[in-house]
PDB file of all heavy atoms in Angstrom:
ATOM      1  N   ALA A  53      -6.858 -17.477  -7.303  1.00  0.00           N
ATOM      2  CA  ALA A  53      -5.874 -16.432  -7.529  1.00  0.00           C
ATOM      3  C   ALA A  53      -5.031 -16.842  -8.749  1.00  0.00           C
ATOM      4  O   ALA A  53      -4.875 -18.061  -9.011  1.00  0.00           O
ATOM      5  CB  ALA A  53      -4.956 -16.305  -6.329  1.00  0.00           C
ATOM      6  N   LEU A  54      -4.538 -15.904  -9.485  1.00  0.00           N
ATOM      7  CA  LEU A  54      -3.652 -16.203 -10.605  1.00  0.00           C
ATOM      8  C   LEU A  54      -2.224 -16.046 -10.096  1.00  0.00           C
ATOM      9  O   LEU A  54      -1.921 -15.244  -9.217  1.00  0.00           O
ATOM     10  CB  LEU A  54      -3.873 -15.176 -11.715  1.00  0.00           C
ATOM     11  CG  LEU A  54      -5.228 -15.121 -12.302  1.00  0.00           C
ATOM     12  CD1 LEU A  54      -5.422 -13.973 -13.267  1.00  0.00           C
ATOM     13  CD2 LEU A  54      -5.576 -16.450 -12.991  1.00  0.00           C
ATOM     14  N   ASP A  57      -0.887 -12.676  -9.652  1.00  0.00           N
ATOM     15  CA  ASP A  57      -1.474 -11.848  -8.532  1.00  0.00           C
ATOM     16  C   ASP A  57      -0.571 -11.905  -7.313  1.00  0.00           C
ATOM     17  O   ASP A  57      -0.587 -10.995  -6.498  1.00  0.00           O
ATOM     18  CB  ASP A  57      -2.811 -12.401  -8.075  1.00  0.00           C
ATOM     19  CG  ASP A  57      -3.875 -12.336  -9.171  1.00  0.00           C
ATOM     20  OD1 ASP A  57      -3.722 -11.592 -10.113  1.00  0.00           O
ATOM     21  OD2 ASP A  57      -4.895 -13.105  -9.036  1.00  0.00           O
ATOM     22  N   LEU A  58       0.196 -12.993  -7.184  1.00  0.00           N
ATOM     23  CA  LEU A  58       0.927 -13.230  -5.942  1.00  0.00           C
ATOM     24  C   LEU A  58       2.234 -12.368  -5.830  1.00  0.00           C
ATOM     25  O   LEU A  58       2.892 -12.393  -4.810  1.00  0.00           O
ATOM     26  CB  LEU A  58       1.319 -14.710  -5.837  1.00  0.00           C
ATOM     27  CG  LEU A  58       0.094 -15.648  -5.871  1.00  0.00           C
ATOM     28  CD1 LEU A  58       0.600 -17.113  -5.805  1.00  0.00           C
ATOM     29  CD2 LEU A  58      -0.852 -15.383  -4.786  1.00  0.00           C
ATOM     30  N   SER A  59       2.517 -11.595  -6.893  1.00  0.00           N
ATOM     31  CA  SER A  59       3.743 -10.823  -6.867  1.00  0.00           C
ATOM     32  C   SER A  59       3.698  -9.743  -5.780  1.00  0.00           C
ATOM     33  O   SER A  59       4.788  -9.201  -5.420  1.00  0.00           O
ATOM     34  CB  SER A  59       4.002 -10.217  -8.280  1.00  0.00           C
ATOM     35  OG  SER A  59       2.943  -9.331  -8.568  1.00  0.00           O
ATOM     36  N   CYS A  60       2.553  -9.439  -5.224  1.00  0.00           N
ATOM     37  CA  CYS A  60       2.494  -8.426  -4.155  1.00  0.00           C
ATOM     38  C   CYS A  60       3.134  -8.951  -2.884  1.00  0.00           C
ATOM     39  O   CYS A  60       3.502  -8.163  -1.993  1.00  0.00           O
ATOM     40  CB  CYS A  60       1.093  -7.907  -3.922  1.00  0.00           C
ATOM     41  SG  CYS A  60      -0.050  -9.167  -3.332  1.00  0.00           S
ATOM     42  N   ILE A  61       3.309 -10.287  -2.775  1.00  0.00           N
ATOM     43  CA  ILE A  61       3.958 -10.800  -1.548  1.00  0.00           C
ATOM     44  C   ILE A  61       5.042 -11.805  -1.850  1.00  0.00           C
ATOM     45  O   ILE A  61       5.980 -11.968  -1.069  1.00  0.00           O
ATOM     46  CB  ILE A  61       2.971 -11.422  -0.571  1.00  0.00           C
ATOM     47  CG1 ILE A  61       2.119 -12.494  -1.275  1.00  0.00           C
ATOM     48  CG2 ILE A  61       2.161 -10.401   0.155  1.00  0.00           C
ATOM     49  CD1 ILE A  61       1.468 -13.442  -0.293  1.00  0.00           C
ATOM     50  N   HIS A  62       4.975 -12.502  -3.010  1.00  0.00           N
ATOM     51  CA  HIS A  62       5.954 -13.567  -3.251  1.00  0.00           C
ATOM     52  C   HIS A  62       6.892 -13.228  -4.439  1.00  0.00           C
ATOM     53  O   HIS A  62       6.496 -12.542  -5.360  1.00  0.00           O
ATOM     54  CB  HIS A  62       5.259 -14.911  -3.543  1.00  0.00           C
ATOM     55  CG  HIS A  62       4.550 -15.493  -2.398  1.00  0.00           C
ATOM     56  ND1 HIS A  62       5.223 -15.842  -1.213  1.00  0.00           N
ATOM     57  CD2 HIS A  62       3.257 -15.803  -2.148  1.00  0.00           C
ATOM     58  CE1 HIS A  62       4.361 -16.333  -0.329  1.00  0.00           C
ATOM     59  NE2 HIS A  62       3.181 -16.319  -0.855  1.00  0.00           N
ATOM     60  N   ILE A  99      -6.062 -19.341  -1.876  1.00  0.00           N
ATOM     61  CA  ILE A  99      -5.640 -17.966  -1.747  1.00  0.00           C
ATOM     62  C   ILE A  99      -6.799 -17.068  -2.214  1.00  0.00           C
ATOM     63  O   ILE A  99      -7.152 -16.089  -1.547  1.00  0.00           O
ATOM     64  CB  ILE A  99      -4.436 -17.648  -2.672  1.00  0.00           C
ATOM     65  CG1 ILE A  99      -3.236 -18.559  -2.269  1.00  0.00           C
ATOM     66  CG2 ILE A  99      -4.028 -16.208  -2.633  1.00  0.00           C
ATOM     67  CD1 ILE A  99      -2.729 -18.384  -0.934  1.00  0.00           C
ATOM     68  N   GLY A 100      -7.379 -17.465  -3.364  1.00  0.00           N
ATOM     69  CA  GLY A 100      -8.540 -16.712  -3.900  1.00  0.00           C
ATOM     70  C   GLY A 100      -9.679 -16.728  -2.904  1.00  0.00           C
ATOM     71  O   GLY A 100     -10.427 -15.782  -2.726  1.00  0.00           O
ATOM     72  N   THR A 102      -9.646 -16.929   0.438  1.00  0.00           N
ATOM     73  CA  THR A 102      -9.503 -16.033   1.606  1.00  0.00           C
ATOM     74  C   THR A 102      -9.774 -14.568   1.137  1.00  0.00           C
ATOM     75  O   THR A 102     -10.412 -13.836   1.892  1.00  0.00           O
ATOM     76  CB  THR A 102      -8.114 -16.219   2.229  1.00  0.00           C
ATOM     77  OG1 THR A 102      -8.015 -17.526   2.718  1.00  0.00           O
ATOM     78  CG2 THR A 102      -7.907 -15.224   3.376  1.00  0.00           C
ATOM     79  N   LEU A 103      -9.235 -14.218  -0.017  1.00  0.00           N
ATOM     80  CA  LEU A 103      -9.530 -12.818  -0.453  1.00  0.00           C
ATOM     81  C   LEU A 103     -11.046 -12.644  -0.658  1.00  0.00           C
ATOM     82  O   LEU A 103     -11.580 -11.585  -0.199  1.00  0.00           O
ATOM     83  CB  LEU A 103      -8.798 -12.575  -1.811  1.00  0.00           C
ATOM     84  CG  LEU A 103      -9.088 -11.243  -2.474  1.00  0.00           C
ATOM     85  CD1 LEU A 103      -8.709 -10.084  -1.497  1.00  0.00           C
ATOM     86  CD2 LEU A 103      -8.388 -11.063  -3.799  1.00  0.00           C
ATOM     87  N   PHE A 136       1.618 -20.566  -0.368  1.00  0.00           N
ATOM     88  CA  PHE A 136       1.377 -19.172  -0.603  1.00  0.00           C
ATOM     89  C   PHE A 136       0.628 -18.616   0.645  1.00  0.00           C
ATOM     90  O   PHE A 136      -0.272 -19.261   1.192  1.00  0.00           O
ATOM     91  CB  PHE A 136       0.465 -18.992  -1.830  1.00  0.00           C
ATOM     92  CG  PHE A 136       0.950 -19.647  -3.073  1.00  0.00           C
ATOM     93  CD1 PHE A 136       0.158 -20.485  -3.771  1.00  0.00           C
ATOM     94  CD2 PHE A 136       2.221 -19.400  -3.569  1.00  0.00           C
ATOM     95  CE1 PHE A 136       0.613 -21.106  -4.950  1.00  0.00           C
ATOM     96  CE2 PHE A 136       2.707 -20.001  -4.740  1.00  0.00           C
ATOM     97  CZ  PHE A 136       1.881 -20.870  -5.424  1.00  0.00           C
ATOM     98  N   ASN A 137       0.954 -17.427   1.017  1.00  0.00           N
ATOM     99  CA  ASN A 137       0.394 -16.844   2.269  1.00  0.00           C
ATOM    100  C   ASN A 137      -0.910 -16.097   1.963  1.00  0.00           C
ATOM    101  O   ASN A 137      -0.874 -14.941   1.543  1.00  0.00           O
ATOM    102  CB  ASN A 137       1.444 -15.955   2.939  1.00  0.00           C
ATOM    103  CG  ASN A 137       1.076 -15.644   4.374  1.00  0.00           C
ATOM    104  OD1 ASN A 137      -0.067 -15.235   4.639  1.00  0.00           O
ATOM    105  ND2 ASN A 137       2.035 -15.781   5.283  1.00  0.00           N
ATOM    106  N   ASP A 138      -1.992 -16.759   2.213  1.00  0.00           N
ATOM    107  CA  ASP A 138      -3.324 -16.157   1.916  1.00  0.00           C
ATOM    108  C   ASP A 138      -3.647 -14.944   2.796  1.00  0.00           C
ATOM    109  O   ASP A 138      -4.304 -14.014   2.325  1.00  0.00           O
ATOM    110  CB  ASP A 138      -4.420 -17.199   2.044  1.00  0.00           C
ATOM    111  CG  ASP A 138      -4.434 -17.841   3.454  1.00  0.00           C
ATOM    112  OD1 ASP A 138      -3.429 -18.171   3.993  1.00  0.00           O
ATOM    113  OD2 ASP A 138      -5.592 -17.900   4.029  1.00  0.00           O
ATOM    114  N   LEU A 139      -3.154 -14.955   4.031  1.00  0.00           N
ATOM    115  CA  LEU A 139      -3.470 -13.849   4.952  1.00  0.00           C
ATOM    116  C   LEU A 139      -2.732 -12.582   4.500  1.00  0.00           C
ATOM    117  O   LEU A 139      -3.334 -11.507   4.401  1.00  0.00           O
ATOM    118  CB  LEU A 139      -3.108 -14.253   6.383  1.00  0.00           C
ATOM    119  CG  LEU A 139      -3.832 -15.434   6.922  1.00  0.00           C
ATOM    120  CD1 LEU A 139      -3.211 -15.878   8.232  1.00  0.00           C
ATOM    121  CD2 LEU A 139      -5.337 -15.139   7.159  1.00  0.00           C
ATOM    122  N   ALA A 140      -1.456 -12.708   4.222  1.00  0.00           N
ATOM    123  CA  ALA A 140      -0.656 -11.565   3.773  1.00  0.00           C
ATOM    124  C   ALA A 140      -1.138 -11.088   2.423  1.00  0.00           C
ATOM    125  O   ALA A 140      -1.254  -9.877   2.180  1.00  0.00           O
ATOM    126  CB  ALA A 140       0.816 -11.935   3.722  1.00  0.00           C
ATOM    127  N   PHE A 141      -1.433 -12.050   1.523  1.00  0.00           N
ATOM    128  CA  PHE A 141      -1.932 -11.666   0.169  1.00  0.00           C
ATOM    129  C   PHE A 141      -3.253 -10.871   0.270  1.00  0.00           C
ATOM    130  O   PHE A 141      -3.405  -9.810  -0.382  1.00  0.00           O
ATOM    131  CB  PHE A 141      -2.172 -12.979  -0.643  1.00  0.00           C
ATOM    132  CG  PHE A 141      -2.880 -12.738  -1.946  1.00  0.00           C
ATOM    133  CD1 PHE A 141      -2.289 -12.085  -3.006  1.00  0.00           C
ATOM    134  CD2 PHE A 141      -4.215 -13.110  -2.091  1.00  0.00           C
ATOM    135  CE1 PHE A 141      -2.940 -11.872  -4.190  1.00  0.00           C
ATOM    136  CE2 PHE A 141      -4.900 -12.892  -3.223  1.00  0.00           C
ATOM    137  CZ  PHE A 141      -4.294 -12.262  -4.326  1.00  0.00           C
ATOM    138  N   THR A 142      -4.157 -11.369   1.117  1.00  0.00           N
ATOM    139  CA  THR A 142      -5.440 -10.718   1.231  1.00  0.00           C
ATOM    140  C   THR A 142      -5.293  -9.280   1.809  1.00  0.00           C
ATOM    141  O   THR A 142      -5.834  -8.306   1.309  1.00  0.00           O
ATOM    142  CB  THR A 142      -6.371 -11.541   2.099  1.00  0.00           C
ATOM    143  OG1 THR A 142      -6.616 -12.773   1.380  1.00  0.00           O
ATOM    144  CG2 THR A 142      -7.734 -10.905   2.342  1.00  0.00           C
ATOM    145  N   ALA A 143      -4.506  -9.154   2.870  1.00  0.00           N
ATOM    146  CA  ALA A 143      -4.312  -7.857   3.526  1.00  0.00           C
ATOM    147  C   ALA A 143      -3.649  -6.850   2.557  1.00  0.00           C
ATOM    148  O   ALA A 143      -4.058  -5.705   2.477  1.00  0.00           O
ATOM    149  CB  ALA A 143      -3.454  -8.001   4.765  1.00  0.00           C
ATOM    150  N   LYS A 144      -2.643  -7.332   1.847  1.00  0.00           N
ATOM    151  CA  LYS A 144      -1.911  -6.454   0.870  1.00  0.00           C
ATOM    152  C   LYS A 144      -2.855  -6.038  -0.290  1.00  0.00           C
ATOM    153  O   LYS A 144      -2.869  -4.936  -0.734  1.00  0.00           O
ATOM    154  CB  LYS A 144      -0.686  -7.142   0.309  1.00  0.00           C
ATOM    155  CG  LYS A 144       0.493  -7.186   1.233  1.00  0.00           C
ATOM    156  CD  LYS A 144       1.383  -5.939   1.104  1.00  0.00           C
ATOM    157  CE  LYS A 144       2.232  -5.964  -0.097  1.00  0.00           C
ATOM    158  NZ  LYS A 144       3.415  -5.098   0.055  1.00  0.00           N
ATOM    159  N   THR A 145      -3.582  -7.013  -0.789  1.00  0.00           N
ATOM    160  CA  THR A 145      -4.492  -6.688  -1.901  1.00  0.00           C
ATOM    161  C   THR A 145      -5.543  -5.673  -1.446  1.00  0.00           C
ATOM    162  O   THR A 145      -5.864  -4.734  -2.208  1.00  0.00           O
ATOM    163  CB  THR A 145      -5.188  -7.992  -2.365  1.00  0.00           C
ATOM    164  OG1 THR A 145      -4.167  -8.923  -2.748  1.00  0.00           O
ATOM    165  CG2 THR A 145      -6.073  -7.757  -3.560  1.00  0.00           C
ATOM    166  N   LEU A 146      -6.098  -5.847  -0.234  1.00  0.00           N
ATOM    167  CA  LEU A 146      -7.085  -4.912   0.224  1.00  0.00           C
ATOM    168  C   LEU A 146      -6.481  -3.525   0.460  1.00  0.00           C
ATOM    169  O   LEU A 146      -7.108  -2.488   0.196  1.00  0.00           O
ATOM    170  CB  LEU A 146      -7.710  -5.402   1.531  1.00  0.00           C
ATOM    171  CG  LEU A 146      -8.581  -6.664   1.369  1.00  0.00           C
ATOM    172  CD1 LEU A 146      -9.062  -7.115   2.745  1.00  0.00           C
ATOM    173  CD2 LEU A 146      -9.776  -6.456   0.479  1.00  0.00           C
ATOM    174  N   LYS A 147      -5.231  -3.531   0.935  1.00  0.00           N
ATOM    175  CA  LYS A 147      -4.568  -2.228   1.150  1.00  0.00           C
ATOM    176  C   LYS A 147      -4.444  -1.482  -0.153  1.00  0.00           C
ATOM    177  O   LYS A 147      -4.657  -0.299  -0.258  1.00  0.00           O
ATOM    178  CB  LYS A 147      -3.197  -2.509   1.768  1.00  0.00           C
ATOM    179  CG  LYS A 147      -2.500  -1.205   2.189  1.00  0.00           C
ATOM    180  CD  LYS A 147      -1.030  -1.416   2.363  1.00  0.00           C
ATOM    181  CE  LYS A 147      -0.316  -0.021   2.167  1.00  0.00           C
ATOM    182  NZ  LYS A 147       1.137  -0.181   2.070  1.00  0.00           N
ATOM    183  N   GLN A 148      -4.120  -2.227  -1.223  1.00  0.00           N
ATOM    184  CA  GLN A 148      -3.967  -1.603  -2.570  1.00  0.00           C
ATOM    185  C   GLN A 148      -5.278  -1.029  -3.027  1.00  0.00           C
ATOM    186  O   GLN A 148      -5.343  -0.140  -3.861  1.00  0.00           O
ATOM    187  CB  GLN A 148      -3.414  -2.587  -3.583  1.00  0.00           C
ATOM    188  CG  GLN A 148      -1.917  -2.927  -3.340  1.00  0.00           C
ATOM    189  CD  GLN A 148      -1.455  -4.180  -4.031  1.00  0.00           C
ATOM    190  OE1 GLN A 148      -2.208  -4.892  -4.694  1.00  0.00           O
ATOM    191  NE2 GLN A 148      -0.173  -4.481  -3.897  1.00  0.00           N
ATOM    192  N   ILE A 156      -4.601  -8.751  11.323  1.00  0.00           N
ATOM    193  CA  ILE A 156      -4.539 -10.211  11.212  1.00  0.00           C
ATOM    194  C   ILE A 156      -4.409 -10.739  12.617  1.00  0.00           C
ATOM    195  O   ILE A 156      -3.362 -10.588  13.301  1.00  0.00           O
ATOM    196  CB  ILE A 156      -3.363 -10.645  10.302  1.00  0.00           C
ATOM    197  CG1 ILE A 156      -3.556 -10.007   8.874  1.00  0.00           C
ATOM    198  CG2 ILE A 156      -3.291 -12.169  10.192  1.00  0.00           C
ATOM    199  CD1 ILE A 156      -2.424 -10.320   7.926  1.00  0.00           C
ATOM    200  N   LEU A 170       6.530 -11.029   6.117  1.00  0.00           N
ATOM    201  CA  LEU A 170       6.048 -10.448   4.851  1.00  0.00           C
ATOM    202  C   LEU A 170       5.471  -9.054   5.077  1.00  0.00           C
ATOM    203  O   LEU A 170       5.483  -8.226   4.176  1.00  0.00           O
ATOM    204  CB  LEU A 170       4.960 -11.358   4.241  1.00  0.00           C
ATOM    205  CG  LEU A 170       5.485 -12.612   3.523  1.00  0.00           C
ATOM    206  CD1 LEU A 170       4.287 -13.502   3.215  1.00  0.00           C
ATOM    207  CD2 LEU A 170       6.137 -12.225   2.205  1.00  0.00           C
ATOM    208  N   LEU A 171       4.906  -8.833   6.255  1.00  0.00           N
ATOM    209  CA  LEU A 171       4.189  -7.574   6.461  1.00  0.00           C
ATOM    210  C   LEU A 171       4.904  -6.643   7.512  1.00  0.00           C
ATOM    211  O   LEU A 171       4.309  -5.705   8.032  1.00  0.00           O
ATOM    212  CB  LEU A 171       2.767  -7.858   6.984  1.00  0.00           C
ATOM    213  CG  LEU A 171       1.910  -8.714   5.976  1.00  0.00           C
ATOM    214  CD1 LEU A 171       0.609  -9.161   6.636  1.00  0.00           C
ATOM    215  CD2 LEU A 171       1.642  -7.926   4.689  1.00  0.00           C
ATOM    216  N   LEU A 231      -8.891 -10.085   9.969  1.00  0.00           N
ATOM    217  CA  LEU A 231      -8.681 -11.422   9.336  1.00  0.00           C
ATOM    218  C   LEU A 231      -8.356 -12.360  10.507  1.00  0.00           C
ATOM    219  O   LEU A 231      -7.319 -12.229  11.156  1.00  0.00           O
ATOM    220  CB  LEU A 231      -7.508 -11.431   8.351  1.00  0.00           C
ATOM    221  CG  LEU A 231      -7.669 -10.722   7.030  1.00  0.00           C
ATOM    222  CD1 LEU A 231      -6.342 -10.842   6.222  1.00  0.00           C
ATOM    223  CD2 LEU A 231      -8.780 -11.393   6.265  1.00  0.00           C
TER     224      LEU A 231
END
Side-chain angles (χ1 to χ4, degrees):
L54 301 172
D57 297 340
L58 304 178
S59 61
C60 65
I61 52 159
H62 290 301
I99 302 299
T102 296
L103 176 60
F136 307 125
N137 194 313
D138 58 314
L139 299 168
F141 169 73
T142 297
K144 281 274 281 203
T145 303
L146 293 177
K147 187 198 156 192
Q148 287 163 358
I156 300 177
L170 281 168
L171 301 172
L231 287 179

